[in-house]
Amino acid sequence: MASQIKDFREKQIMTRREAFLQVVSIDTVEKFVNYMQIHKDPFDLNELLQELPRKQKEALWERLTQLTTQILIENPVEGWQRIEDESDDDDMEVEQSPKMKQIIAVIQGVTTVATASISVVDENINYKALLECALILNGILYALSESEKALQSAIQHLCAMWWEKGLEGKEQLGKTAFIMMLRKSLKSKTVTGADIVRLWHLHQTLLFFDYDLEESNEVKDLLLQCFMSVNHIKKEEGRRFLSFLLSWNVNFIKMIHGTIKNQLQCFSKSLMAYIAEIYFRAWKKSSGEILEILEVNCIQDFMHHGIHLPRSSPVHPKVRELLSYFHKQSKVRQGVEEMLYRLYQPILWRALKARNSEVRSNAALLFVEAFPIRDPHFNNEDMDNEIQRQFEELFSLLEDPQPLVRSTGVLGVSKITSKYWEMIPATILAELLKKLIGDLAFDVTSADVRCSVFKCLPIILDNKLSHPLLEQLLPTVKYSLHDNSEKVRVAFVDMLLKIKALRAAKFWKICPMEHLLTRLEVDSRPVSRRLVNLLFNSFLPVNQPEEVWCERCVTLIQMNPAAARKFYRHAYEYTAPTNIAKLMLTIRRCLNACIQKEIKEMQDDEESEKENISILNNVLSINDVATMASLLEITVILWRSIHKALDHNEEAKDYTIRKFAIVLPEYFKVFKDDRCIIPLVILASFMPASAVPTFSCGVISKLRNLEKGADENKYSILIDCLCRWGQVGHLIELICDWMSDEITPRKSNTASERRVHIQVTHESKPELALDYLEYLLTQSMNRDCLLSVHKKKLNQLLKVLGAAKEILVSIMKGTDAGSHSFNQATAIRAFTLYCRLSIHLQHKFSSEGKVYLSHLKETGAWIESHVLPSILIHEREDDVLEQHIEVSQLISQAYLTVCKDAIMVGLGDSEFQAHLLDVTLSIMQTERGCFCIPTLLCVLKEIIEASLTQNIGTDEEVATFLHAVQAVFQKILECVARRLRKWREEGLQLIYSIQSPLGEFIYTVQHWHSSCPTVHRGVLSTLLAAVVVEISHTLRKASNAEELAPPESTADLPPLSGSLMTVIIKSINVVRSFLNELMECIICEEIEGIISITAAAYIVVIIKGKHKASLVKDIAHTLQKKLMDFREVAMEESSSIERTLYESSMKILDGILNP
């Protein structure tokens, strides 16, 4: 039975073999394709091939070759490309024809069988037919389109397996596999680590490429691209491959090195160790000419660049990182030390003596990294001499005249002494450290050198053997804590932190505590934070009982109260919020104990409560006001530092508030000094009003009872309390009461009886009310609280402030001056705050329309109807008081300033801007309109920017605004010129005051010249006219030749012209536009007459050198042609002014045209 089964299986196998061999034929193509699709499993195919006898295998390969050959004869590969091209020309997706699909399927099947056959090839089989088939498949690779990636990969796999098997013809097939895999590995989007590993397995095929043949050029390009590929550089097998490439050909090494140098700027610094590893591996495995090229053309080349590249170059740190890899290898790999010594020998020592300080500094960095640079084959004597020479070089670096080199020397000495402390003689160590600490730490010529010393001493401290010597030397540098350079102080404190961390010495013995606290008191945040870190465990030892924290706090206060406040301001950065809260409560217990102690001494019949801190009983007393105040201030500082943490922990916050709310009333009774009251009030502001009812109910009374002119610190904390409690409405009522009492005295008490307020007779204090309101508007947090009050109260406040206009009218008219206690300054302040509050209310309630903006517009109309007429009346009266005109000017100035700010923040619509321009024109109509010109220029600038950037109106409206801007600007220059003629001193002061805003206005017009060409042209035309007219006027008034001398700078021009030209020549774009406008005016004959032409020549000579010569020369040539019309003037008497101007202008223009 068993024999029968065996026979059946053998027959079945034979049947399967014969069936397979029969389908591999050109006559049974479809059956072959179907067979390959059915038997997709490679294990089935491999099993079948294994079972085939030798002769059947050879027959199979013959049939495969014949099948492939016949398919290609019937369907040449050239036709494949033509079909593909035709499909592309159709510009549409065309499905592959059934015939083409069958061809590809046949070749795919042949490739699959051929690949599987490689594993069954041995030395006893004739596989020439299989080789022929593989070569045919290799030959058609180029004809396959990108869409046949599966077939391409299959043929590539065939070639790779052929190479790995080492069969005959492996060179050609291996080269194909190599090129295919090389291309694939450079596709960054699809490449995988496995692709790079496969490439490495094929690297030996490169040896079969002839470097000098032209056909190898493609391979060279691809190989060079590998050195630009981060994927190859980061992968271990990739670095092996790249290192192998450095041994392919001597000339190729130079190409690779050039490619890497070009790519250094693109590579990150982290890749430099990988790049260095590639060079190092190649160097280790190379010999002969290749080794020489690698050393001289590559490694030594990097050394040269490391020395000569400027520090500012982005490549310099990368080259240093690359060389650093070799320096590290010199300590662990044989032969590296000798190689570094040999390659550095001709360049490093010479560079250390170079004239260029940056070269010396770069050489010093490499010298320090590579130290000691020696040949291990030296005998003892030669080795000692070499090391001695290098120590002498170190001392030379420390004495170099250039600070950068000295700083590098400090770094080098620190690294070397730390690393080789045990091997360096004690005398040399002492000399080096004395040089650092005794001399360079006090280098008066360079803060960088001093900073380097303290930055590098921690490197030496890393070696514990250095601690005894440094402990003796470091106290001499204690005054470096007070260095005038912040970075030196920072480095010094960092060094103290290192000493503390290593326990190398007691830091307070190096720098006494008094010095540390003094510096903590006054220094900047970077230094202060480090000092707090240094002193933290001394004054807030979190591992000890909380009573000790309080003792240390009191000690710190008594040593330096200001330093104590600074210390606790930064303490939260170095401990948990819980510890800060504990310290606050401990201070509270301490204060309670002091109060109880005082009560006990007074009553002498009770024991102190449990919350007593016995150790401090004999130290503290409530009579020690300074200490008590400091403790309260520190409590405030601590609370502020953790307020965010408390907000996130309601339980802790409630507990803290409850604890302090209990004792706060007692503190207010006991601590009466102002220094104590201020922190107590701030503490109260941290709690809800309900937690401190006694105090919170009296805040308004305190504000009411303050005297006129009280300092801001008297009322600011009280107002802050009201804002935090949401009770700012009470303050508004107080302000309205005081202002109403003065501006609009009550005729009836009926309305006020309905209001709830404290019925106490108090003096009205409008000045103080305005102080309160200004403080509210100035502080952002308080302003938000103010604007959150009910709208009705805000409107009442605005109405009260607006009533100041009536008082201002009476002051301007000089009537009813004594009917109220408002003085001029108070009324002006009230008016200004009215305008400011209107803006804030408009911003707050912008969704409700332009209600509050209309108040500003009404105020503008009021200025036109009441203020400006007052100025005109006073200008015609000789006996009018100057203060009346001053009031009018201050009103207008305040209004314009507020409106400018409103436009700047985008609150002014088109109607408002148009109204504002009308007001400005009205102001400029007055004789004294010059007073507000600086502000007016700022207003014009903001209107231009708002019109062009904020889309405030239609194009027609914008054009109208811009035309009005141009008109106002012309009025401004006319007003300045008029003031200069009538009152020269005042005019000169005015010119000086407008220079900055005038420049901003002109530069803004220039910036938007493409959006508003009409305004740009009009403004430049106005500027040009003003300059030409003033210069011409000056020339006409000249009485002698000296006054007609051409100007050498803007200072030689008349005042207004000089000022305008100074502004113009500061911007190259404005100069260009100004010259274009000048040229156009000359061509249009708007500038004519010898005097005007001379004025134009003066302008050109001032601008000469500020702009490209071509345009200046064109204008000079045009002016020269104009002047030729006045040749007859040259025939006049030599004393003639026109002749003098003619000759002077011709000389100027000749100098420009023929320099």
Side-chain angles (χ1 to χ4, degrees):
M1 186 68 179
S3 61
Q4 290 178 347
I5 294 173
K6 183 178 179 182
D7 292 340
F8 177 76
R9 286 180 178 174
E10 287 179 356
K11 288 180 181 179
Q12 192 177 30
I13 291 171
M14 290 178 65
T15 304
R16 193 170 61 159
R17 293 176 194 164
E18 291 170 357
F20 178 54
L21 287 172
Q22 288 175 2
V23 299
V24 182
S25 171
I26 190 65
D27 299 324
T28 56
V29 168
E30 290 185 7
K31 291 182 179 180
F32 175 70
V33 173
N34 293 334
Y35 186 92
M36 294 306 299
Q37 288 178 349
I38 293 169
H39 297 83
K40 287 182 179 179
D41 189 349
F43 293 105
D44 289 346
L45 189 58
N46 288 336
E47 184 182 356
L48 178 61
L49 290 171
Q50 290 286 347
E51 294 169 352
L52 285 175
R54 179 173 60 84
K55 289 187 178 180
Q56 284 189 340
K57 290 177 184 175
E58 292 174 359
L60 171 64
W61 297 335
E62 286 283 356
R63 295 175 76 91
L64 281 175
T65 304
Q66 291 173 7
L67 175 60
T68 308
T69 304
Q70 288 295 327
I71 284 289
L72 293 177
I73 289 173
E74 294 178 6
N75 304 279
V77 292
E78 293 81 3
W80 302 0
Q81 190 67 41
R82 187 172 60 252
I83 292 170
E84 186 178 344
D85 291 342
E86 288 174 359
S87 299
D88 290 341
D89 292 341
D90 290 341
D91 196 24
M92 59 184 292
E93 292 187 7
V94 179
E95 289 189 9
Q96 210 173 33
S97 66
K99 186 175 182 180
M100 195 65 202
K101 282 184 178 181
Q102 188 181 56
I103 294 170
I104 295 299
V106 170
I107 295 175
Q108 179 76 53
V110 171
T111 305
T112 303
V113 176
T115 304
S117 299
I118 294 173
S119 61
V120 299
V121 173
D122 58 39
E123 58 185 10
N124 298 321
I125 299 179
N126 182 2
Y127 59 88
K128 287 186 178 179
L130 181 62
L131 171 61
E132 185 180 352
C133 181
L135 292 174
I136 293 172
L137 293 173
N138 179 55
I140 65 171
L141 257 178
Y142 75 93
L144 295 176
S145 64
E146 284 295 319
S147 61
E148 303 300 338
K149 289 183 179 179
L151 181 54
Q152 287 179 345
S153 298
I155 297 175
Q156 175 194 324
H157 182 54
L158 166 67
C159 295
M161 285 192 65
W162 198 281
W163 166 263
E164 291 173 4
K165 187 76 172 179
L167 302 176
E168 182 184 347
K170 67 175 184 178
E171 296 84 0
Q172 186 173 349
L173 296 176
K175 287 162 68 174
T176 298
F178 178 76
I179 293 174
M180 294 284 290
M181 187 54 67
L182 186 58
R183 287 174 179 162
K184 186 176 181 181
S185 71
L186 290 170
K187 294 179 180 177
S188 58
K189 292 183 179 180
T190 59
V191 67
T192 63
D195 293 330
I196 296 175
V197 172
R198 294 189 193 102
L199 180 64
W200 163 245
H201 290 157
L202 295 168
H203 72 280
Q204 288 291 341
T205 60
L206 183 63
L207 300 176
F208 296 101
F209 287 90
D210 190 333
Y211 178 84
D212 297 320
L213 291 180
E214 188 176 348
E215 64 183 20
S216 298
N217 289 342
E218 181 192 1
V219 179
K220 294 177 196 174
D221 292 339
L222 293 172
L223 293 175
L224 290 176
Q225 289 179 43
C226 292
F227 287 92
M228 307 177 196
S229 167
V230 175
N231 294 320
H232 289 76
I233 294 170
K234 285 186 173 182
K235 187 74 177 172
E236 168 66 21
E237 287 78 8
R239 293 195 294 277
R240 290 182 187 176
F241 177 70
L242 297 178
S243 178
F244 169 76
L245 296 183
L246 282 166
S247 63
W248 182 31
N249 186 280
V250 170
N251 295 323
F252 197 53
I253 296 174
K254 298 175 183 177
M255 293 175 67
I256 292 171
H257 185 61
T259 301
I260 290 175
K261 287 202 297 183
N262 290 337
Q263 287 298 115
L264 284 181
Q265 192 164 356
C266 305
F267 287 151
S268 64
K269 195 175 177 182
S270 60
L271 287 180
M272 290 305 103
Y274 295 142
I275 300 291
E277 182 186 340
I278 293 167
Y279 278 103
F280 182 75
R281 282 180 169 177
W283 175 81
K284 282 292 289 181
K285 293 180 179 179
S286 60
S287 59
E289 186 181 4
I290 288 179
L291 176 63
E292 183 181 349
I293 294 295
L294 280 171
E295 288 185 347
V296 176
N297 288 48
C298 300
I299 300 172
Q300 196 173 58
D301 184 49
F302 279 129
M303 292 175 174
H304 181 272
H305 287 305
I307 290 171
H308 292 92
L309 275 173
R311 288 278 181 94
S312 58
S313 168
V315 177
H316 181 263
K318 298 174 184 178
V319 173
R320 275 190 55 207
E321 190 72 20
L322 191 149
L323 290 171
S324 179
Y325 181 89
F326 283 90
H327 299 154
K328 292 172 184 175
Q329 295 299 323
S330 68
K331 308 300 185 290
V332 294
R333 296 293 184 90
Q334 189 176 0
V336 181
E337 196 171 26
E338 183 273 333
M339 179 266 290
L340 290 175
Y341 175 80
R342 182 162 34 83
L343 297 184
Y344 271 131
Q345 192 68 26
I347 58 175
L348 183 63
W349 311 117
R350 184 172 58 187
L352 287 170
K353 306 294 183 185
R355 289 186 178 182
N356 188 310
S357 60
E358 195 168 21
V359 170
R360 295 199 304 275
S361 176
N362 292 342
L365 284 172
L366 296 182
F367 168 50
V368 168
E369 279 193 358
F371 183 91
I373 304 174
R374 59 183 181 175
D375 188 341
H377 301 108
F378 279 159
N379 58 38
N380 290 340
E381 183 179 354
D382 290 342
M383 189 70 76
D384 290 343
N385 291 337
E386 184 63 32
I387 297 299
Q388 180 61 36
R389 178 168 78 95
Q390 293 183 27
F391 274 116
E392 289 172 2
E393 289 290 349
L394 280 177
F395 279 104
S396 298
L397 292 175
L398 296 179
E399 295 172 355
D400 194 278
Q402 184 66 26
L404 178 62
V405 182
R406 294 201 298 278
S407 297
T408 308
V410 170
L411 175 63
V413 167
S414 302
K415 285 185 174 181
I416 290 168
T417 53
S418 177
K419 192 172 184 179
Y420 301 104
W421 186 278
E422 301 93 330
M423 294 181 277
I424 301 174
T427 53
I428 294 180
L429 283 173
E431 288 179 21
L432 285 171
L433 291 182
K434 284 179 182 176
K435 184 69 178 175
L436 258 62
I437 297 172
D439 294 346
L440 296 178
F442 301 99
D443 190 332
V444 295
T445 62
S446 173
D448 289 334
V449 175
R450 300 195 301 274
C451 184
S452 296
V453 171
F454 297 116
K455 278 187 173 181
C456 296
L457 281 173
I459 298 174
I460 303 176
L461 284 165
D462 285 331
N463 191 318
K464 292 184 178 180
L465 298 175
S466 67
H467 295 178
L469 180 57
L470 288 174
E471 192 172 6
Q472 297 176 21
L473 297 175
L474 285 175
T476 60
V477 296
K478 62 183 177 183
Y479 293 110
S480 295
L481 180 65
H482 306 289
D483 196 285
N484 57 10
S485 171
E486 182 187 71
K487 61 184 176 182
V488 177
R489 300 195 301 274
V490 167
F492 181 81
V493 181
D494 282 337
M495 181 196 71
L496 292 180
L497 285 166
K498 181 78 172 183
I499 291 170
K500 176 187 174 184
L502 295 173
R503 299 183 179 179
K506 305 295 185 184
F507 68 84
W508 57 86
K509 290 185 178 179
I510 294 170
C511 188
M513 191 64 74
E514 294 78 11
H515 290 258
L516 295 170
L517 294 179
T518 301
R519 184 47 58 183
L520 174 61
E521 175 188 353
V522 299
D523 219 326
S524 59
R525 178 177 171 80
V527 182
S528 298
R529 290 180 66 252
R530 288 170 169 81
L531 285 170
V532 170
N533 189 15
L534 181 70
L535 301 171
F536 188 80
N537 290 335
S538 300
F539 293 108
L540 190 54
V542 293
N543 295 326
Q544 296 191 35
E546 294 163 20
E547 287 73 16
V548 178
W549 303 1
C550 193
E551 291 173 21
R552 300 287 176 88
C553 178
V554 172
T555 303
L556 181 54
I557 288 170
Q558 292 176 342
M559 292 175 73
N560 190 320
R565 291 192 292 273
K566 185 75 77 72
F567 175 85
Y568 290 107
R569 189 177 303 154
H570 297 291
Y572 76 96
E573 299 177 30
Y574 302 99
T575 189
T578 306
N579 290 331
I580 300 296
K582 287 180 180 178
L583 178 57
M584 288 164 50
L585 295 171
T586 305
I587 292 174
R588 169 189 165 277
R589 293 201 302 272
C590 175
L591 294 170
N592 291 349
C594 292
I595 294 172
Q596 294 299 326
K597 176 186 172 185
E598 185 69 16
I599 293 172
K600 182 180 178 182
E601 289 177 357
M602 292 175 64
Q603 297 177 351
D604 200 24
D605 59 354
E606 295 181 8
E607 294 182 1
S608 60
E609 292 188 0
K610 292 180 181 179
E611 288 188 318
N612 194 4
I613 299 182
S614 57
I615 300 175
L616 294 173
N617 270 354
N618 298 324
V619 179
L620 291 179
S621 167
I622 61 172
N623 297 320
D624 184 357
V625 175
T627 303
M628 295 294 105
S630 294
L631 285 170
L632 291 169
E633 289 167 354
I634 287 168
T635 304
V636 169
I637 289 168
L638 293 172
W639 196 322
R640 274 182 178 155
S641 70
I642 62 167
H643 77 278
K644 289 183 180 178
L646 288 175
D647 289 342
H648 288 91
N649 190 334
E650 287 296 330
E651 185 179 349
K653 183 176 181 179
D654 292 343
Y655 179 79
T656 306
I657 289 173
R658 190 167 61 252
K659 282 291 185 181
F660 278 95
I662 293 170
V663 298
L664 208 57
E666 186 68 21
Y667 289 176
F668 274 114
K669 291 178 184 177
V670 174
F671 304 121
K672 299 294 187 182
D673 190 88
D674 282 348
R675 277 198 59 191
C676 296
I677 293 296
I678 292 173
L680 286 174
V681 172
I682 297 173
L683 274 176
S685 72
F686 294 157
M687 309 177 198
S690 58
V692 282
T694 307
F695 172 75
S696 61
C697 291
V699 170
I700 286 292
S701 297
K702 289 182 173 64
L703 288 170
R704 189 187 296 273
N705 293 328
L706 285 178
E707 297 295 327
K708 294 179 183 177
D711 290 338
E712 185 179 303
N713 60 4
K714 294 284 187 184
Y715 57 79
S716 59
I717 54 174
L718 296 172
I719 293 176
D720 291 342
C721 281
L722 292 175
C723 291
R724 287 195 175 98
W725 294 336
Q727 297 180 0
V728 74
H730 299 324
L731 181 59
I732 293 178
E733 289 179 6
L734 176 62
I735 293 171
C736 289
D737 286 344
W738 279 349
M739 297 295 292
S740 298
D741 288 345
E742 293 300 321
I743 298 176
T744 55
R746 296 187 183 91
K747 297 179 180 179
S748 171
N749 289 330
T750 304
S752 63
E753 285 174 0
R754 298 194 192 104
R755 298 171 56 194
V756 178
H757 59 85
I758 302 171
Q759 296 293 337
V760 180
T761 303
H762 285 287
E763 174 193 1
S764 295
K765 303 167 187 174
E767 295 89 350
L768 196 55
L770 296 177
D771 289 337
Y772 294 167
L773 181 57
E774 188 154 13
Y775 180 76
L776 283 170
L777 289 174
T778 304
Q779 306 297 318
S780 60
M781 184 195 76
N782 295 344
R783 182 170 61 246
D784 293 339
C785 294
L786 169 66
L787 296 175
S788 64
V789 173
H790 194 277
K791 191 176 179 181
K792 184 177 180 181
K793 286 188 177 182
L794 293 173
N795 288 334
Q796 177 64 23
L797 176 61
L798 189 66
K799 181 179 178 182
V800 169
L801 292 171
K805 290 188 280 188
E806 299 176 10
I807 299 174
L808 290 171
V809 170
S810 65
I811 292 175
M812 287 184 290
K813 291 180 178 179
T815 60
D816 300 327
S819 63
H820 48 73
S821 62
F822 257 40
N823 57 32
Q824 174 184 318
T826 305
I828 292 292
R829 279 187 71 198
F831 173 75
T832 304
L833 289 171
Y834 166 78
C835 296
R836 287 174 58 188
L837 183 59
S838 298
I839 288 183
H840 289 299
L841 292 176
Q842 177 60 49
H843 181 260
K844 173 71 175 178
F845 301 105
S846 57
S847 60
E848 300 179 14
K850 306 290 183 180
V851 177
Y852 297 100
L853 197 62
S854 65
H855 292 323
L856 277 181
K857 288 161 66 176
E858 290 168 5
T859 303
W862 172 77
I863 289 174
E864 288 185 286
S865 61
H866 292 81
V867 179
L868 298 183
S870 177
I871 295 177
L872 294 171
I873 293 171
H874 295 329
E875 285 173 353
R876 292 191 287 269
E877 297 176 3
D878 297 332
D879 59 343
V880 70
L881 292 175
E882 186 65 29
Q883 73 173 35
H884 294 162
I885 296 179
E886 183 185 357
V887 170
S888 305
Q889 293 176 349
L890 290 173
I891 293 170
S892 304
Q893 185 81 4
Y895 178 75
L896 290 175
T897 302
V898 172
C899 291
K900 177 204 68 166
D901 294 339
I903 295 171
M904 183 171 62
V905 298
L907 291 178
D909 59 6
S910 57
E911 188 179 349
F912 177 77
Q913 292 189 29
H915 176 74
L916 181 59
L917 285 173
D918 291 340
V919 175
T920 57
L921 276 172
S922 300
I923 293 173
M924 295 310 301
Q925 299 295 336
T926 63
E927 183 69 27
R928 293 176 177 260
C930 294
F931 70 89
C932 63
I933 285 179
T935 309
L936 273 179
L937 287 168
C938 294
V939 170
L940 296 183
K941 168 184 172 290
E942 297 302 337
I943 287 178
I944 286 180
E945 292 198 330
S947 301
L948 298 172
T949 60
Q950 296 174 8
N951 298 321
I952 60 164
T954 63
D955 291 343
E956 293 182 3
E957 290 174 333
V958 171
T960 304
F961 297 150
L962 298 180
H963 179 74
V965 167
Q966 181 183 337
V968 173
F969 180 67
Q970 185 172 344
K971 287 287 184 183
I972 287 173
L973 291 187
E974 290 174 359
C975 187
V976 173
R978 187 167 59 248
R979 173 69 59 169
L980 193 61
R981 285 196 304 272
K982 291 188 175 182
W983 299 281
R984 185 170 180 79
E985 289 302 319
E986 292 182 13
L988 292 174
Q989 291 178 9
L990 178 61
I991 288 172
Y992 179 77
S993 68
I994 69 169
Q995 195 155 7
S996 177
L998 176 65
E1000 291 183 11
F1001 170 73
I1002 292 173
Y1003 304 146
T1004 300
V1005 171
Q1006 178 64 38
H1007 178 74
W1008 295 101
H1009 72 279
S1010 59
S1011 302
C1012 53
T1014 306
V1015 176
H1016 181 249
R1017 173 81 190 279
V1019 169
L1020 289 176
S1021 177
T1022 303
L1023 289 171
L1024 180 60
V1027 174
V1028 171
V1029 167
E1030 188 184 29
I1031 295 175
S1032 300
H1033 179 72
T1034 304
L1035 292 175
R1036 288 190 184 93
K1037 289 175 60 180
S1039 57
N1040 54 61
E1042 292 180 0
E1043 295 179 5
L1044 300 175
E1048 296 180 1
S1049 67
T1050 55
D1052 299 326
L1053 294 173
L1056 179 58
S1057 302
S1059 178
L1060 295 178
M1061 290 304 299
T1062 300
V1063 170
I1064 289 168
I1065 62 178
K1066 284 182 180 179
S1067 168
I1068 188 70
N1069 293 326
V1070 175
V1071 169
R1072 181 177 61 250
S1073 300
F1074 189 74
L1075 287 175
N1076 288 332
E1077 181 64 25
L1078 176 60
M1079 180 65 126
E1080 193 164 341
C1081 289
I1082 296 169
I1083 293 172
C1084 296
E1085 297 185 354
E1086 293 177 13
I1087 294 179
E1088 55 184 6
I1090 193 167
I1091 294 178
S1092 295
I1093 292 173
T1094 303
Y1098 284 4
I1099 293 172
V1100 174
V1101 78
I1102 291 294
I1103 291 177
K1104 184 182 69 172
K1106 308 294 183 184
H1107 199 269
K1108 57 184 180 182
S1110 59
L1111 182 55
V1112 174
K1113 285 186 176 181
D1114 288 346
I1115 294 173
H1117 182 68
T1118 306
L1119 287 173
Q1120 193 177 56
K1121 287 170 64 178
K1122 287 279 185 183
L1123 273 176
M1124 297 303 292
D1125 297 338
F1126 300 92
R1127 285 191 298 270
E1128 65 276 5
V1129 172
M1131 307 300 178
E1132 296 181 3
E1133 297 179 4
S1134 59
S1135 59
S1136 167
I1137 290 179
E1138 290 192 346
R1139 177 177 175 177
T1140 304
L1141 292 177
Y1142 176 83
E1143 292 174 350
S1144 174
S1145 299
M1146 289 298 290
K1147 185 177 180 181
I1148 289 171
L1149 298 173
D1150 284 338
I1152 294 172
L1153 294 170
N1154 304 300

